[in-house]
Amino acid sequence: MSAALLPKPQMRRLLARRMKFHLLGAFLVSMTSAALYKFGVAEPRKRAYAEFYKKYDPMKDFETMKAAGVFECAPPK
Amino acid sequence: MLASRVFSLVGRRSISTSLCLRAHGHGVVKAEDYTLPAYVDRRDVPLPEVAFVRDLSAQQQALKEKEKASWSALSVDEKVELYRIKFNETYAEMNKGTNEWKTILGGVFFFLGFTGIILIWQKHFMYGPIPHTFSEDWLSAQTKRMLDMRVNPVEGISAQWDFDKNEWKK
């Protein structure tokens, strides 16, 4: 062994440091994934439904489907 | 009379094994290796219960004697030798990774491939024809009916079809 001593390693507060790191990381990761889902999936879906129903006419839709012959009780005359 | 006969049998069996051994001149039973404290290379056990080397050679005995004097008299090699007597692997050697993951990954892929061969063989030699509802004509008619019914018109299949131009949306 050489005459120079190695620097004394960190002896205390090891768990505290690890915990701080992981608590912060877990918080950030979960918030990020929630935000990504909200703005990547949830909001576009809500917008798609809103857009669809803005110009939706159920009676016209019914007449089209009837004409195509998909209804058993409402055949195309 | 019967009771006294039973009692004598019980009495004979109640003498312990070690007592019998000692009576015949055996002494204490030799302690098995696994019952004694053992050496272990573990990250969470920095100082194992016994030293690594159990039976020291003459040279190592001499070194152990020298250790009883001042440690600054020991050379670096002697210090390392003393360490190796006490411990098997250093922490660095203990924690060193292996190449085992390559073997594992290789084995996994090999067996996946073997499974694939089995599946191909089954499809070719064992299974009969698939249902007629998978033919091109049937699938086209099926899709047309789904579009007529306006299945999933908001985000699904009917949203991908352009009903005015009668084609899939670009």
Side-chain angles (χ1 to χ4, degrees):
Chain A
M1 216 123 330
S2 60
L5 287 170
L6 293 168
K8 185 170 176 180
Q10 175 74 298
M11 302 287 264
R12 294 174 184 272
R13 299 186 62 83
L14 293 166
L15 179 64
R17 193 180 70 188
R18 179 195 162 83
M19 210 159 193
K20 190 161 65 175
F21 176 80
H22 280 88
L23 279 172
L24 189 70
F27 180 77
L28 288 175
V29 166
S30 50
M31 291 315 239
T32 308
S33 31
L36 279 174
Y37 183 84
K38 182 179 170 71
F39 295 110
V41 177
E43 288 301 319
R45 192 170 284 170
K46 285 195 269 187
R47 256 182 280 125
Y49 272 81
E51 281 303 315
F52 178 79
Y53 281 108
K54 225 180 269 181
K55 300 194 219 79
Y56 183 60
D57 181 11
M59 289 320 294
K60 177 162 157 273
D61 210 35
F62 170 71
E63 292 302 330
T64 326
M65 285 200 258
K66 185 166 168 223
V70 292
F71 292 127
E72 201 179 303
C73 301
K77 266 326 169 324
Chain B
M1 193 194 66
L2 267 166
S4 67
R5 271 237 187 113
V6 168
F7 181 80
S8 66
L9 274 169
V10 169
R12 223 167 282 157
R13 218 173 280 172
S14 69
I15 302 172
S16 69
T17 313
S18 61
L19 217 63
C20 291
L21 279 177
R22 221 168 291 197
H24 288 265
H26 277 258
V28 182
V29 178
K30 176 183 172 294
E32 295 292 331
D33 264 344
Y34 59 81
T35 60
L36 298 169
Y39 176 82
V40 61
D41 267 326
R42 278 180 63 109
R43 294 219 299 264
D44 50 359
V45 180
L47 290 171
E49 290 164 340
V50 286
F52 176 57
V53 178
R54 211 172 19 176
D55 313 306
L56 299 169
S57 71
Q59 204 180 7
Q60 287 169 327
Q61 295 268 37
L63 188 55
K64 276 295 195 188
E65 288 301 317
K66 196 173 173 197
E67 194 192 14
K68 292 179 184 171
S70 169
W71 286 344
S72 44
L74 296 168
S75 73
V76 175
D77 290 324
E78 285 173 332
K79 288 177 190 170
V80 172
E81 177 61 28
L82 282 168
Y83 181 89
R84 289 294 172 183
I85 290 171
K86 205 169 175 76
F87 301 104
N88 180 18
E89 286 185 316
T90 67
Y91 262 72
E93 289 165 7
M94 205 195 298
N95 296 340
K96 187 175 61 179
T98 64
N99 282 328
E100 192 189 5
W101 66 274
K102 297 178 192 170
T103 313
I104 292 172
L105 212 59
V108 166
F109 287 143
F110 175 78
F111 281 107
L112 281 175
F114 181 65
T115 307
I117 288 178
I118 291 178
L119 293 174
I120 292 168
W121 184 91
Q122 284 179 323
K123 179 74 184 119
H124 196 264
F125 288 106
M126 193 185 86
Y127 288 118
I130 57 171
H132 64 99
T133 53
F134 284 100
S135 69
E136 278 294 320
D137 292 332
W138 191 283
L139 286 176
S140 323
Q142 184 176 289
T143 318
K144 179 169 180 352
R145 192 172 139 78
M146 281 169 73
L147 294 169
D148 288 339
M149 286 194 286
R150 302 295 192 271
V151 169
N152 287 336
V154 184
E155 281 189 319
I157 189 166
S158 300
Q160 310 295 336
W161 180 259
D162 192 341
F163 285 97
D164 303 316
K165 289 192 220 142
N166 239 7
E167 59 183 12
W168 292 111
K169 284 184 186 166
K170 295 293 177 289

